[in-house]
Amino acid sequence: MTRPELGVCYYPEHWPEDLWADDARRMAEAGLNWVRIGEFAWTRMEPEPGKLDFGWLDRAIDTLGQAGLKVVLGTPTATPPRWMLERHPDMLAHDRQGRPRGFGSRRHYCFSHEGYREECRRIATLLGERYGRNEHVHAWQIDNEYGCHDTAISYSPAALRAFRDWLARKYQSPQALNRAWGNVFWSMDYDSFDQIGLPNLTVTEPNPAHVMDFRRFSSDQVAAFNRVQVDALRPLTDRPLLHNYMGTGPTHTDFDHFDVGADLDIATWDSYPLGFLVDRVSDRDEAFRLDFARQGDPDFQAFHHDLYRAVGRGRWWIIEQQPGPVNWAPWNPAPLPGMVRLWTWEAIAHGAEAVCYFRWRQAPFAQEQQHAGLLRPDSADAPALAEARTVAEEIAQLGEVRPALGHAALLFDYQAAWAIETQPQGSDFSYWTLTLAAYSALRRAGLSVDILHPSEDLSNHAMVLAPGLVFMDDALKARLAAHEGPVIVGPRAASRTPDFAIPVPLPPALPGLDAQVARLESLMPGLDLPLEGGGHVHRWLEEIEGDAERVIETTDGRPVLMRAGGLHYLAGWPDVAGWDRVVDHGAAEAGLETLALPEGLRFRDTETHRFAFNYAPRPVQWDGQVIQAAGVAWWEKPSV
Amino acid sequence: MTRPELGVCYYPEHWPEDLWADDARRMAEAGLNWVRIGEFAWTRMEPEPGKLDFGWLDRAIDTLGQAGLKVVLGTPTATPPRWMLERHPDMLAHDRQGRPRGFGSRRHYCFSHEGYREECRRIATLLGERYGRNEHVHAWQIDNEYGCHDTAISYSPAALRAFRDWLARKYQSPQALNRAWGNVFWSMDYDSFDQIGLPNLTVTEPNPAHVMDFRRFSSDQVAAFNRVQVDALRPLTDRPLLHNYMGTGPTHTDFDHFDVGADLDIATWDSYPLGFLVDRVSDRDEAFRLDFARQGDPDFQAFHHDLYRAVGRGRWWIIEQQPGPVNWAPWNPAPLPGMVRLWTWEAIAHGAEAVCYFRWRQAPFAQEQQHAGLLRPDSADAPALAEARTVAEEIAQLGEVRPALGHAALLFDYQAAWAIETQPQGSDFSYWTLTLAAYSALRRAGLSVDILHPSEDLSNHAMVLAPGLVFMDDALKARLAAHEGPVIVGPRAASRTPDFAIPVPLPPALPGLDAQVARLESLMPGLDLPLEGGGHVHRWLEEIEGDAERVIETTDGRPVLMRAGGLHYLAGWPDVAGWDRVVDHGAAEAGLETLALPEGLRFRDTETHRFAFNYAPRPVQWDGQVIQAAGVAWWEKPSV
Amino acid sequence: MTRPELGVCYYPEHWPEDLWADDARRMAEAGLNWVRIGEFAWTRMEPEPGKLDFGWLDRAIDTLGQAGLKVVLGTPTATPPRWMLERHPDMLAHDRQGRPRGFGSRRHYCFSHEGYREECRRIATLLGERYGRNEHVHAWQIDNEYGCHDTAISYSPAALRAFRDWLARKYQSPQALNRAWGNVFWSMDYDSFDQIGLPNLTVTEPNPAHVMDFRRFSSDQVAAFNRVQVDALRPLTDRPLLHNYMGTGPTHTDFDHFDVGADLDIATWDSYPLGFLVDRVSDRDEAFRLDFARQGDPDFQAFHHDLYRAVGRGRWWIIEQQPGPVNWAPWNPAPLPGMVRLWTWEAIAHGAEAVCYFRWRQAPFAQEQQHAGLLRPDSADAPALAEARTVAEEIAQLGEVRPALGHAALLFDYQAAWAIETQPQGSDFSYWTLTLAAYSALRRAGLSVDILHPSEDLSNHAMVLAPGLVFMDDALKARLAAHEGPVIVGPRAASRTPDFAIPVPLPPALPGLDAQVARLESLMPGLDLPLEGGGHVHRWLEEIEGDAERVIETTDGRPVLMRAGGLHYLAGWPDVAGWDRVVDHGAAEAGLETLALPEGLRFRDTETHRFAFNYAPRPVQWDGQVIQAAGVAWWEKPSV
Ligand SMILES: [Zn+2]
Ligand SMILES: [Zn+2]
Ligand SMILES: [Zn+2]
């Protein structure tokens, strides 16, 4: 890995051409290395069908490149021009109510529409042919924020046709599908694939197996859509291909980011800590939200950094970093002074190759006119620019930052998220929220974490956590059972077969662990069960049968954490104090030292350094050192 | 009446045929007498249109019967096969938004669709011909849970056609309808019945008279739909016909259960105390809900037992009894140990001929895979099976249980529920919630209650309560005025004419009672008025003019309970303490002894015994005896 | 101005003709002068297309006139008959979901439908021809409550056609529109006006410039619709034309009331203080709502009086005054005794020429059967009648009431409301709520206020407040800067160009005031910033650059109120205590004495008197005098 770099998103088409050179100069002067352009500019590239205009783009790339900036060029397929709808009137996605989702903003296409896919192949090819070997174009972004605005799932006629084909390929016969789904249950059998509908607008809930297949199908369509452009660009360029994921969180799990990532070279994500605190962090109370309103959740960003490092198989960026108030959350406060620097350094400490700010100059017009940039609309410096400059200088002093292996591994599987959304059983059960709760407990203990897909090698991590892994095959179970250090799985582990049925023998059926979910219950807010020794279980508790050793119990004697050797089963959803106990137990078994960090303080270790981030809105002390609100500190890593 | 019996719901079509005999044996061994089958199995009975397959059903009935079980056979009309839609593409109900409610779950039909009615007649006739005289088939269930999933009301083209016909039959001329509805109000007059629409999607609220007629029509369509199958089966069997009502509560009042019951022999209902506590009991606070989260509301079930005893004209069952956590409520906790026994005994004490558990083995697939059964998915005993077995043994010891006449009568009228839903006037005014509040007060006082349709003979009851009876004709008023003991009517008594107008003279216009509602007000939460002597009025208060004797007043002198002889008018909605005072007053006049039962304890008297049920999650004391949490006790009834 | 008068709304078509004379006699006896009729009676005027029946109306007018009453005759265009839809099946408005809003209540038309406009011209002409010179018809009401039930905005095909035409007239070319809207932003450019859709059902939010133009268009359509009837009636009558606005509040800003008012002679509004407290006053907490549940917000009505005095260019009425509980709010309590008198006098003190109660006799049928009148459904006096009679007697004693110039001016602009609804940036930012907060602070200080359109002459007012004025042109800025007394503008002042872009130089760019909004933030509930010296800023705070004098700051040194000479900029949203400080400061500069009125007490000065209104539910003291709950007092105005 080379030294971390900074960058910015830029829209030359929004500004008079005579501003470009000065903008480029100021970017370079501030210490930025990268500039992303082009991803919404289809009408400028192709004002009329087939009438291409790349002259402006040639000049923009040249101007930026001459200033020493490396260009990320985006394909503009998230914003098909209005004329595209004249050619493909049926290309729109449909919402859950069955209505077309119309023109007038962005992402107005259905991933299943073959005609639009062909148009995307065409424009990507044209761009690849023109710029694939351009000396200034150092990377390519495909499309923009797949799935954002709930667009990964479409109930359109195009999606219906494709879903039937997908099912036919998977099941080969309606009878096989009927058996797999258990359609006998309410006489829901189909005689032909053409009778199968999308699982919206049914009288009461549809068969969860039906929904689960539709979720898998929808995710596959995103990956297939993306692959069309990958396939078009690969022969035309040697530069890395990336996509900018709009994070994951509880609401953006609609396609498998690992699947899309498998076809790409770098995973990048769009990090908006303040907006996400309001609309994606659902597990914390009002006081917490207010305390962190100008800093963001202390673990949300870090979780995503670790996740996308896995999605990118080690290579990842932030390609859009919030630089100030945004326009899209219910409320949009300004970050505390220092937070832009803090967010940037947190990403770098997690191994980001680059952190790019969104955007250069705040646009005074259209949808995002209240979205801050590094420049104000009047071209004056916005506060974030100084913080970016500071980071650039600090990087220059610090040099390379090599990510270290995390102390613990946390497994993450998008299919588990779909399964739980399909069948929450308790209204507040969210897979992502559960995994963030586990992750936060690891962070509160001062540990650095690697997030891994379940298929990854786990042998390098002293401790493995795998909450909520609904689907576990025998091979995965065996690998976990064979792991050297402590492994903690559950709740809901291995609770469904691939066909979305309850397996028999009952879950989790882990090798060597005598514990079986005899019954389970979801618990409304307030129906908590205290744990012997501190903490509570809330939201979810399974009744376990079996003689596995009990590590943590409720005060009325129900097992919550059980073990056989290093393999543990967690039978409920602990609260914050409960999670701390689970992590403390696992860390002790793993021989990992845990810390009692003050509220808001977080650590991340690199190969050489320990970085400390104070998310609290007040100074904290650590080891005799005061770290200011929004402060970042680093020191040589203690030898273990 | 014979001794009470137990039973279970079973789906032979869900399991390999080689399991059936052992299942049947285990049912019988556990002390179960009844087994309900068939109600969702249309695709197994008729896999293709006209191609019938009853062989498996013959064998299933025979296997169950051979084990000593009596079969309730269901008609499968709640789950029309997918091929039915090829024959009747317009058979679907439409929702309030006008959208068809599609295939993929159940109850996907409009009650008004003539073609589908004909199909139901056909399948019921086929079943009746084959099994009407079968020695093992001892009862018939028609369809399943009419109205569940909001299906009693449909806004389909079929419903529109039928509604216009219904109106034409009722009013004979558009002019008569215009007069009855008061269409002059906003120039809403119709020139022809073909101009009349369904009362959805109007600009602002439609004429309440329009809505009320649509509600009556919709209820009539359910009764007519049911009658088709009754008429088909009657000539073919001598066994009793029943339907399984999905309870009533605040949300399942969309058709008149008495009307449907009039064509049947037994009323049965589906009792899910924990799910219903969450989604149907709206009058109690969070602390109450949490205290009873694993037991259910102490009065909700009893209310329904008494209601369906009336609907069944004395003959009633629970045909689906919750045996553990269910899958459909927002949260699904597990019952306290003992609650399945308690619920069963409460039903028996109220005169249930049978209590059947839903279901035998938990299905590992499809929509209800998280719905507990008497067996787990792996065929091991679930906790409820032991409790059912205990009840069977206790029944064997106790012998017959003959219901006694209740101390008090409570009148219940589905039309009143529709009237108040049509015109709540205060957002939290629910007819059912009001009647449950009255019922609960009677239960807290230790009284046993009979729920009666207003048309029933009231002369056997020392005290009559009739809250919220919007429609009262002169004959009913006269009968109530002539009643020997105390009668308490109101609020909202007799407040609308049959045409849904305010009557003049103003309500309640009760014979001999000088009290008139001069004005009324609905009260937002917090705007309570204290009562002189304790308790409050909330939600609703009428300003009364007239010289009737004031029994209870607000502290600022507004009359709340007034009387003339035994006839009382209640002018507001009392809170819990207020209702206790109303009941105490009535009971004192009636010469009924009231008790001060501890929180959660409830009594029900049979001819010979007093049964005690402890719904509290902690032991209670009564008369020197400790009754455990979820405990049931009975002793010889004190002679009065 | 002559002495204030009272009146009532009456529906002769609802009652037997033999009641009319007695009704008229009772009206006159009670001291009423005006009676409004006819506005919903289209089917009685024209039972079949072209078949007119005015005989009953002739007789009704005559009967009322003979009793000494002056008639306001309404055109019935808010309630097109059912047969109208046979002639114009496409005349219905469509909701945001794209669904037609059907027949069965009222206001079922789209303002853009040319065919329906023509029908309105026809019926208005017929009425004008027949009654334009009738001696008893002293005023005309056009239509009823434009925009009520969200009807000002329609997404119908008729609206779409008209919107495209409107855009074509405004922009002349799609290219000009693309530039103005900034459609380059997400490749949203149009090649033709026929490609432009309505801004509903887009994938994510549409371009705010698109929305803003649609809002302007929608408002223009209302004004144009109204003008059709004005143009029809003007040649036929010399009597004043009026419309009854359903108030403004936060929810009824969908068209520019000033624009419609410009074509009329008198502005009237419909005042329902108790219903509006529940559904329109969003800025106050639960305790406040309960305290004022039976009186209404102490400033809501007064604000509207002052607003419609401006809309009517000095001439205004209340044409519908709540006389008791209404039927349409979520809860409908009864007013405290005395409130009907208080509300009436408050209107008179603000210069109302007439106050008419809605309605005479409570209708026992149809949608509003629970809406109180001056008579009960049984024709007995309802409580409000006595209060109206009292006011009539008091007017007789007091004689003329001449409104005085207010101490302060508050500017109000409907376009600002649309702008903020288009782009709230914080979920609880409502233009109207902000202006009411400013207005209330003025009232709490004992000041009388004039509300003015920004285009009005401001030179007569010592102090001018202009919160939230999103659009300010250079001329307005210059006028404000030149004003003699203190002028307080902001927050969000001049924050958008007419094309809905952020202006550069950055706002507010006020002449001579060195203050610039460098950045802004919206603040979730709880994220308040305390002000040095008392009060808080909440909801909204702008970061100001510039050297203008700081008058009020946050405790951490952020400027909130700045000034240069008399021109002030307010950079945030103060809470109640903060607004008091802003007003105190301005008043001090203006040389206005402020008072510390007790909670609930309000003053309004006329030319000769000071009126005092006690909205509190308890007595208050002022200057040694006790004013009872719901009490009104007046005394000679102190000389200044
Ligand atoms: Zn362990
Ligand atoms: Zn009494
Ligand atoms: Zn000043």
Side-chain angles (χ1 to χ4, degrees), chain C residues 392-422:
Chain C
E393 292 162 3
E394 290 169 336
I395 290 173
Q397 288 166 18
L398 193 66
E400 293 195 13
V401 179
R402 286 180 302 277
L405 197 72
H407 306 103
L410 178 73
L411 305 192
F412 192 86
D413 179 15
Y414 287 88
Q415 297 232 10
W418 310 335
I420 286 172
E421 287 165 28
T422 297

Side-chain angles (χ1 to χ4, degrees), chain A residues 43-110:
Chain A
T43 58
R44 289 304 175 274
M45 299 173 182
E46 190 176 13
E48 295 173 30
K51 191 187 134 194
L52 298 161
D53 178 2
F54 290 123
W56 69 273
L57 187 53
D58 295 347
R59 296 191 297 278
I61 291 171
D62 198 56
T63 303
L64 294 163
Q66 295 296 342
L69 296 159
K70 294 181 280 186
V71 170
V72 183
L73 183 56
T75 70
T77 52
T79 51
R82 180 62 181 78
W83 53 253
M84 189 69 74
L85 272 99
E86 318 278 346
R87 297 175 70 160
H88 305 286
D90 58 346
M91 66 172 277
L92 298 173
H94 286 222
D95 67 17
R96 183 181 288 270
Q97 312 307 318
R99 295 171 307 205
R101 303 183 68 186
F103 186 84
S105 57
R106 62 177 181 175
R107 302 211 53 71
H108 40 281
Y109 68 81
C110 177

Side-chain angles (χ1 to χ4, degrees), chain A residues 11 13-14 36-45 56 74-80 106-107 141 143-145 244 320 358-359 368, chain C residues 183-189:
Chain A
Y11 300 90
E13 70 273 24
H14 293 179
R36 185 190 69 172
I37 63 170
E39 81 275 13
F40 297 132
W42 199 327
T43 58
R44 289 304 175 274
M45 299 173 182
W56 69 273
T75 70
T77 52
T79 51
R106 62 177 181 175
R107 302 211 53 71
Q141 175 181 306
D143 204 277
N144 185 79
E145 295 177 351
N244 63 329
E320 299 185 13
F358 182 87
R359 50 188 283 157
E368 295 179 350
Chain C
N183 279 337
V184 64
F185 191 68
W186 282 342
S187 278
M188 297 174 293
D189 310 77

Side-chain angles (χ1 to χ4, degrees), chain A residues 354-373:
Chain A
V355 175
C356 302
Y357 302 94
F358 182 87
R359 50 188 283 157
W360 178 243
R361 183 187 294 101
Q362 182 176 345
F365 49 78
Q367 277 90 338
E368 295 179 350
Q369 52 188 255
Q370 282 300 152
H371 193 299

Side-chain angles (χ1 to χ4, degrees), chain A residues 410-605:
Chain A
L410 179 73
L411 305 192
F412 191 86
D413 179 14
Y414 288 88
Q415 297 233 9
W418 309 336
I420 285 171
E421 287 164 27
T422 298
Q423 189 180 67
Q425 181 67 9
S427 289
D428 52 8
F429 201 114
S430 148
Y431 172 69
W432 194 86
T433 301
L434 175 70
T435 56
L436 180 64
Y439 181 88
S440 294
L442 293 165
R443 291 257 291 177
R444 283 192 302 272
L447 302 174
S448 291
V449 183
D450 289 321
I451 294 183
L452 300 178
H453 189 270
S455 63
E456 291 289 310
D457 176 24
L458 312 171
S459 61
N460 296 316
H461 290 87
M463 170 161 61
V464 178
L465 265 61
L469 222 51
V470 172
F471 302 110
M472 298 177 71
D473 61 19
D474 289 344
L476 176 59
K477 288 179 179 179
R479 287 165 52 224
L480 291 171
H483 188 261
E484 285 226 10
V487 170
I488 302 175
V489 302
R492 300 185 85 151
S495 57
R496 288 296 175 275
T497 69
D499 287 333
F500 212 83
I502 298 175
V504 174
L506 295 180
L510 295 169
L513 183 82
D514 185 11
Q516 194 171 41
V517 179
R519 189 156 84 160
L520 58 86
E521 48 179 1
S522 52
L523 306 171
M524 54 278 279
L527 203 63
D528 299 353
L529 286 87
L531 300 176
E532 196 63 50
H536 290 76
V537 164
H538 59 173
R539 292 188 176 173
W540 189 267
L541 184 55
E542 297 164 359
E543 273 180 47
I544 302 294
E545 285 186 359
D547 291 330
E549 179 190 343
R550 294 165 171 226
V551 177
I552 299 179
E553 291 183 327
T554 61
T555 53
D556 59 355
R558 296 173 61 168
V560 172
L561 185 66
M562 308 184 76
R563 63 172 269 178
L567 187 57
H568 299 67
Y569 187 70
L570 178 64
W573 184 317
D575 65 359
V576 166
W579 267 116
D580 284 343
R581 293 188 55 209
V582 171
V583 163
D584 282 348
H585 172 85
E589 280 191 25
L592 292 166
E593 185 198 10
T594 58
L595 306 172
L597 296 181
E599 172 84 355
L601 185 65
R602 293 292 188 271
F603 287 168
R604 172 76 196 181
D605 292 349

